[in-house]
C-alpha cells in the first residue's frame, strides 16, 4: 500500500521502501474456521493506462501479501506473518469522532453495465461504490490480508478441502424484510454458478446445499483451498432472493439451466435489475445509467451493523450517498475542486500528483493488492483460430514479443505517464504480493537485445518488417500513453515495426477482448488477495476460439502454467503455493504473453470535511483492510465533519 497525503493531509508517503506483510493463503488444518471480516479487492479488466474498459465477470482476486511504502507516518511498525516489518499508516487519521448526517457526492470514473444483480452485472471498477453501499459480502479481508468472514460467522472445510461449510450470522434481514439465511445464499450462489457471465469463474463448485443458517459447498475435481476468496466481492455480495426471483434473466427461470425452477418460471418476471434490494448500510433510492447521471441510496435504519441491528453499532453515519458517473478525468477533478463533488476516484497518477501538490484536498493512494497496467497480446492459433484471422500476426512468435518487450523503457514510461509515482512492472504480481519476484525473467530494457530478438523474429517470419494494431480506449490521455510505447518501438526498430494505434469507445472495449478481436490491447487487471482467483484469466480451458466469448483474453494455452495454477488451487501448503505462483511469474517473463508496464496507483481524493475513507472496523471489532486493490474501500464507515459534506 502507498498512502500519499500532503499538506493539511493526515500523513505523508512516497514510493521509497517496501516492506512485506505476508498473510496466510489458506487454512493449515482441516476443520479450521475463520471468523468475521471486511471488504476485499478484485480483478478488473481495464485500459493499460488506468482507463476503465469493463469488468471482470467473476470479480475475483490476486495476492496474499501486503506492501506498505511510507516516508514518515509516526506509527509503530507492525510485524507481518513472515516476521517482516510493515511500516506506515493503514487507515486515515480522521478529524474528531464520527457524527451522523450529510449526503456524500462521490464522482466515479465509469458506469456499470447491466447492474446490479451480481450474476448479470458487468461491474466497472468504481461500480463497487454503489454496489457495496446497498449490500455486503459473505467474506472480507482483514488488515493482514487474510480472508475472513463478514456475513459468514465461520467457515470450515473437510480434510481435503473438497467440502466447505459456512455458518451464517443469525438475525440479519434484507431490506425487503426477507431473511438472510442459507436458502437465500444458495439462491444467490446458484444464480452466479449457472450464469453465462459469471459461471466460468465458478466451475469448481459442483453443488450447493442449504439448511437453516448452514451452507455447504461441494467442490468438483478435488481440493479447492481458496474458496472463500471467490466470495469476498462480486458474487459474494448478497441480494434479496425474493428480488432476484422477479428478474427475467435469472438462471432459475431458464429451462436450459441445471437450476431451472418450473414453479418460479410460472410467476411474473416484473422485477427491475437496476433497483437492487440488498442488506447493506444504505437502501437503494434511484439510479439513472450513463455519464453525468447518478446512483442514490439513503441510510438503512435497520442495517445489521446499526443501532437496530445485531451488532448494535452506530453505522452508517451518512444520511445518503450519491454516486455520480463522471467519465472525463479532467472534468471529474474540476468538479471536486468546484464543490460539485465531495470525493472522487482515479487511477491517473498525474491527477493524483496534482492534488497532492496543490494541498487543498486529502489524498489517499494505494498500490496494495493492486492491478497491473500492460499491453495484452493475442496469441490465438490452431484450434483457437479456426478461421485463420490471427494466422499472420507476428505476435505469435515469441522472439517478436521479446523484442517488443526489450524495447520498452518502463522507467521512462512511469516517469512520463505516471508522474514518477508508480513503479514499473515486471509481472502481474506487485511488490508485496504472493509470487512477486525482483527478477521474473521478463525482458529488461535493452536496445541491443531488442534488435537481436527482432532479427530472429524477422528471419523466422521471412520478412523485413512486422505489422499489427494496438487498441486503446479513445480517452486522449490513454491514446497518448500508448503512443509513447509505439514511439519507443519506432526509435528501436525504425520501419521494421509498423504498429498503429486503434482507439475504441470505452463501452465497446471489453467486447474486443472477449471475442479476441485484437492484436495488442491496452489493459489493466489482476488485483486481489489470492492468486487462485486469477485462474479463470490464465488457464487453458478459458481460452476459447476467436469469435467466441473467452476469459483468457490473450488465448494462450500453456501446460506449465496450467500445472502451476492447479497447485495454487489445490495445495494447502503456503510454501508450495508461493513457489507455484512465482513459477507462474517466471512463465510470463519467459513467454511474454503480455507486455508489462506498471503497477497501478489508485487514489481517493476528497474534500477535507470527508472522513473515514480507509476506516474499516470489522463486525467483531478487529481491523479490516483499508484502501486496497483497484481503489476499493468501504462507505459504511465514512462520515463528514459536523455532519456536513463539502
Amino acid at each position: 500500500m502507498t498512502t500519499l497525503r500532503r499538506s493539511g493531509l493526515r500523513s505523508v508517503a512516497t514510493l521509497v521502501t517496501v516492506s512485506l506483510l505476508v498473510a496466510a493463503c489458506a487454512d493449515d488444518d482441516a476443520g479450521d474456521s475463520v471468523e468475521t471480516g471486511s471488504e476485499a479487492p478484485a480483478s478488473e479488466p481495464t485500459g493499460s493506462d488506468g482507463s476503465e474498459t469493463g469488468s471482470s465477470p467473476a470479480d475475483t482476486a490476486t495476492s496474499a501479501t501486503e506492501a506498505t511504502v511510507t516516508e514518515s507516518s509516526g506509527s509503530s511498525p507492525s510485524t507481518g506473518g513472515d516476521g517482516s516489518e510493515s511500516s506506515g499508516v493503514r487507515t486515515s487519521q480522521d478529524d474528531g469522532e464520527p457524527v451522523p448526517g450529510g449526503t456524500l457526492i462521490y464522482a466515479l470514473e465509469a458506469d456499470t453495465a447491466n447492474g446490479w444483480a451480481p450474476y448479470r452485472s458487468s461491474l466497472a471498477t468504481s461500480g463497487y461504490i454503489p454496489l457495496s453501499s446497498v449490500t455486503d459480502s459473505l467474506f472480507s479481508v482483514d488488515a493482514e490480508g487474510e480472508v475472513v468472514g463478514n456475513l459468514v460467522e465461520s467457515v470450515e472445510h473437510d480434510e481435503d478441502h473438497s467440502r466447505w461449510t459456512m455458518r451464517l450470522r443469525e438475525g440479519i434481514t434484507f431490506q425487503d424484510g426477507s431473511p438472510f439465511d442459507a436458502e437465500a445464499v444458495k439462491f444467490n450462489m446458484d444464480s452466479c454458478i449457472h450464469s453465462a457471465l459469471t459461471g466460468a469463474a465458478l466451475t469448481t463448485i459442483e453443488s450447493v446445499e442449504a439448511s437453516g443458517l448452514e451452507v455447504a459447498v461441494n467442490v468438483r475435481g478435488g481440493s479447492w483451498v481458496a474458496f472463500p476468496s471467490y466470495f469476498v466481492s462480486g458474487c459474494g455480495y448478497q441480494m434479496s432472493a425474493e428480488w432476484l426471483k422477479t428478474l427475467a434473466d435469472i438462471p432459475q427461470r431458464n429451462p436450459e439451466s441445471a437450476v431451472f425452477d418450473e414453479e418460479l418460471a410460472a410467476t411474473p418476471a416484473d422485477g427491475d435489475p437496476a433497483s437492487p434490494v440488498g442488506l447493506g448500510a444504505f437502501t437503494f433510492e434511484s439510479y439513472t445509467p450513463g455519464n453525468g447521471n447518478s446512483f442514490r441510496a439513503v441510510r438503512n435504519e435497520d442495517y445489521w451493523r446499526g443501532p437496530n441491528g445485531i451488532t448494535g453499532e452506530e453505522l452508517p453515519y451518512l444520511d445518503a450517498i450519491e454516486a455520480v458517473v463522471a467519465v472525463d478525468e479532467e472534468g471529474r477533478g474540476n468538479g471536486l475542486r468546484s464543490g460539485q463533488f465531495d470525493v472522487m476516484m482515479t487511477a491517473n497518477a498525474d491527477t493524483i500528483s496534482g492534488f497532492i501538490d496543490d494541498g487543498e484536498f486529502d489524498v489517499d493512494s494505494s498500490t496494495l493488492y493492486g492491478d497491473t497496467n500492460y499491453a495484452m497480446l493475442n496469441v490465438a492459433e490452431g484450434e483457437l483460430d479456426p478461421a485463420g484471422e490471427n494466422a499472420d500476426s507476428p505476435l505469435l512468435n515469441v522472439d517478436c514479443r521479446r523484442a517488443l518487450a526489450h524495447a520498452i523503457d518502463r522507467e521512462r514510461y512511469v516517469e512520463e505517464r505516471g508522474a514518477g509515482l508508480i513503479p514499473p512492472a515486471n509481472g502481474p504480481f506487485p511488490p508485496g504480493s504472493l509470487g512477486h519476484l525482483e527478477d521474473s525473467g521478463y525482458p529488461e530494457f535493452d536496445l541491443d537485445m531488442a534488435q537481436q530478438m527482432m532479427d530472429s523474429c524477422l528471419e523466422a517470419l521471412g520478412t523485413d518488417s512486422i505489422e499489427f494494431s494496438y487498441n486503446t480506449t479513445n480517452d486522449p490521455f490513454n491514446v497518448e500513453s500508448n503512443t509513447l510505447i509505439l514511439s519507443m518501438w519506432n526509435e528501436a526498430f525504425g520501419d521494421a515495426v509498423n504498429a498503429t494505434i486503434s482507439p475504441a469507445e470505452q463501452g465497446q472495449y471489453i467486447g474486443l477482448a472477449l471475442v479476441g478481436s485484437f492484436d495488442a490491447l491496452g489493459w489493466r487487471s489482476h488485483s486481489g488477495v489470492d492468486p487462485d482467483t486469477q485462474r479463470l484469466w490464465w488457464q487453458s480451458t478459458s481460452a476459447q476460439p476467436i469469435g467466441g466469448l473467452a476469459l483468457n483474453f490473450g488465448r494462450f494455452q500453456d501446460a506449465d502454467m496450467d500445472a502451476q495454477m492447479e497447485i495454487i488451487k489445490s495445495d494447502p501448503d503456503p510454501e508450495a503455493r508461493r513457489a507455484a505462483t512465482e513459477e507462474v511469474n517466471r512463465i510470463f517473463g519467459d513467454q511474454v504473453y503480455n507486455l508489462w508496464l506498471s503497477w497501478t496507483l489508485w487514489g481517493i481524493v476528497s474534500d477535507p470535511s470527508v472522513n473515514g475513507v480507509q476506516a474499516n472496523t470489522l463486525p467483531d471489532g478487529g481491523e479490516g483492510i483499508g484502501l486496497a486493490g483497484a481503489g476499493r474501500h468501504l462507505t459504511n464507515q465514512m462520515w463528514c465533519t459536523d455532519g456536513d459534506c463539502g
Side-chain angles (χ1 to χ4, degrees):
M1 178 179 70
T2 306
T3 304
L4 297 172
R5 304 187 143 249
R6 291 260 298 270
S7 187
L9 316 180
R10 301 159 198 158
S11 65
V12 182
T14 56
L15 295 167
V16 179
T17 59
V18 178
S19 299
L20 303 184
L21 179 60
V22 181
C25 304
D27 295 326
D28 292 331
D29 303 304
D32 287 353
S33 63
V34 294
E35 318 264 335
T36 7
S38 79
E39 178 97 6
S43 175
E44 303 290 345
T46 47
S48 69
D49 30 37
S51 61
E52 185 69 40
T53 67
S55 83
S56 106
D59 192 53
T60 47
T62 292
S63 68
T65 59
E66 160 187 327
T68 301
V69 291
T70 65
E71 181 179 89
S72 63
S73 66
S75 64
S76 300
S78 57
T79 303
D82 60 350
S84 63
E85 288 189 344
S86 172
S87 62
V89 177
R90 290 198 41 77
T91 57
S92 301
Q93 304 292 315
D94 296 315
D95 302 325
E97 294 297 320
V99 296
T103 296
L104 186 74
I105 310 299
Y106 201 128
L108 309 183
E109 65 166 4
D111 198 9
T112 284
N114 306 316
W116 291 95
Y119 75 89
R120 72 190 306 274
S121 184
S122 296
L123 278 165
T125 298
S126 54
Y128 280 89
I129 296 302
L131 179 62
S132 64
S133 71
V134 297
T135 199
D136 290 339
S137 188
L138 293 174
F139 292 96
S140 305
V141 176
D142 68 14
E144 295 186 349
E146 183 176 358
V147 176
V148 292
N150 190 37
L151 291 169
V152 169
E153 186 172 63
S154 64
V155 61
E156 298 180 348
H157 56 78
D158 62 4
E159 186 173 0
D160 62 359
H161 294 79
S162 64
R163 181 179 171 91
W164 290 80
T165 303
M166 298 179 287
R167 175 75 183 181
L168 309 179
R169 293 184 183 274
E170 185 175 3
I172 301 175
T173 59
F174 290 97
Q175 291 158 1
D176 59 5
S178 61
F180 171 71
D181 57 16
E183 289 294 341
V185 172
K186 173 178 166 56
F187 195 91
N188 273 267
M189 294 183 75
D190 281 344
S191 71
C192 281
I193 294 166
H194 299 280
S195 162
L197 180 67
T198 57
L202 301 172
T203 56
T204 306
I205 296 179
E206 183 172 51
S207 63
V208 182
E209 302 168 11
S211 177
L213 291 174
E214 285 196 351
V215 181
V217 176
N218 298 303
V219 173
R220 177 183 288 111
S223 300
W224 190 19
V225 300
F227 160 74
S229 297
Y230 277 70
F231 291 91
V232 293
S233 54
C235 287
Y237 284 104
Q238 298 298 288
M239 296 296 185
S240 164
E242 299 309 308
W243 171 66
L244 290 173
K245 290 174 183 177
T246 68
L247 304 184
D249 61 354
I250 194 84
Q252 287 87 338
R253 287 182 177 270
N254 181 1
E256 303 300 318
S257 172
V259 290
F260 174 63
D261 185 332
E262 185 175 2
E263 184 177 348
L264 172 61
T267 64
D270 54 4
D272 181 2
S275 302
V277 180
L279 42 66
F282 301 91
T283 301
F284 171 79
E285 183 174 271
S286 64
Y287 170 57
T288 303
N291 188 37
N293 296 319
S294 70
F295 180 107
R296 180 179 170 84
V298 299
R299 177 191 283 120
N300 176 12
E301 300 294 347
D302 295 316
Y303 183 39
W304 66 278
R305 296 189 62 182
N308 299 321
I310 64 173
T311 66
E313 297 170 86
E314 297 298 323
L315 303 178
Y317 303 118
L318 297 169
D319 289 334
I321 182 168
E322 186 170 346
V324 180
V325 177
V327 172
D328 180 71
E329 180 76 19
E330 184 177 358
R332 200 178 331 129
N334 289 339
L336 181 63
R337 287 187 168 95
S338 70
Q340 178 186 1
F341 307 129
D342 303 314
V343 60
M344 64 171 277
M345 173 185 289
T346 182
N348 187 305
D350 276 350
T351 300
I352 295 170
S353 178
F355 275 106
I356 291 171
D357 289 342
D358 72 25
E360 298 297 320
F361 293 85
D362 288 349
V363 180
D364 285 276
S365 183
S366 175
T367 58
L368 175 60
Y369 304 122
D371 40 15
T372 306
N373 298 324
Y374 60 99
M376 183 164 57
L377 308 180
N378 187 343
V379 297
E381 58 183 332
E383 63 181 13
L384 295 180
D385 185 22
E389 298 175 50
N390 206 41
D392 295 329
S393 173
L395 302 179
L396 297 179
N397 183 286
V398 68
D399 284 342
C400 297
R401 302 197 298 267
R402 289 168 180 161
L404 295 171
H406 275 302
I408 297 175
D409 185 345
R410 288 170 287 146
E411 294 286 353
R412 176 184 169 194
Y413 179 87
V414 299
E415 182 63 33
E416 294 187 19
R417 308 311 297 163
L421 294 178
I422 56 178
N426 67 353
F429 307 119
S433 300
L434 187 71
H436 172 74
L437 294 168
E438 289 298 317
D439 181 6
S440 65
Y442 181 75
E444 295 293 337
F445 176 57
D446 185 331
L447 292 180
D448 290 337
M449 185 59 69
Q451 190 59 60
Q452 290 182 39
M453 290 291 100
M454 182 56 65
D455 290 343
S456 297
C457 159
L458 297 176
E459 181 179 357
L461 298 181
T463 183
D464 59 4
S465 66
I466 62 173
E467 181 178 333
F468 60 94
S469 65
Y470 192 123
N471 287 101
T472 177
T473 57
N474 56 7
D475 179 88
F477 184 90
N478 303 341
V479 173
E480 186 175 347
S481 295
N482 290 301
T483 300
L484 174 61
I485 296 171
L486 266 62
S487 73
M488 293 179 187
W489 291 335
N490 183 64
E491 292 170 9
F493 307 119
D495 293 339
V497 173
N498 299 305
T500 55
I501 288 287
S502 299
E505 193 275 323
Q506 186 168 293
Q508 301 172 352
Y509 205 65
I510 192 172
L512 300 176
L514 285 167
V515 301
S517 183
F518 68 95
D519 294 330
L521 192 69
W523 210 246
R524 184 187 72 205
S525 191
H526 310 309
S527 66
V529 294
D530 192 280
D532 181 60
T533 54
Q534 302 303 327
R535 184 161 33 97
L536 76 159
W537 309 117
W538 300 335
Q539 63 189 358
S540 293
T541 54
S542 295
Q544 300 302 309
I546 290 177
L549 300 180
L551 296 181
N552 181 335
F553 301 127
R555 288 163 168 78
F556 58 83
Q557 291 188 312
D558 191 309
D560 291 338
M561 179 85 74
D562 292 339
Q564 300 307 317
M565 294 308 297
E566 180 59 29
I567 293 171
I568 294 167
K569 169 184 173 288
S570 60
D571 197 324
D573 179 5
E575 288 308 311
R577 300 184 86 231
R578 177 184 297 280
T581 309
E582 290 175 352
E583 185 59 25
V584 165
N585 203 353
R586 293 187 185 97
I587 291 170
F588 273 119
D590 178 62
Q591 293 299 308
V592 196
Y593 295 125
N594 300 315
L595 302 176
W596 308 115
L597 297 173
S598 63
W599 289 302
T600 310
L601 183 71
W602 280 92
I604 308 300
V605 187
S606 58
D607 183 273
S609 67
V610 175
N611 299 280
V613 169
Q614 298 203 58
N616 186 4
T617 300
L618 304 180
D620 290 340
E623 183 183 0
I625 201 169
L627 177 64
R632 298 292 167 70
H633 68 100
L634 295 179
T635 59
N636 67 351
Q637 295 171 50
M638 293 181 70
W639 56 281
C640 294
T641 303
D642 297 327
D644 183 11
C645 303

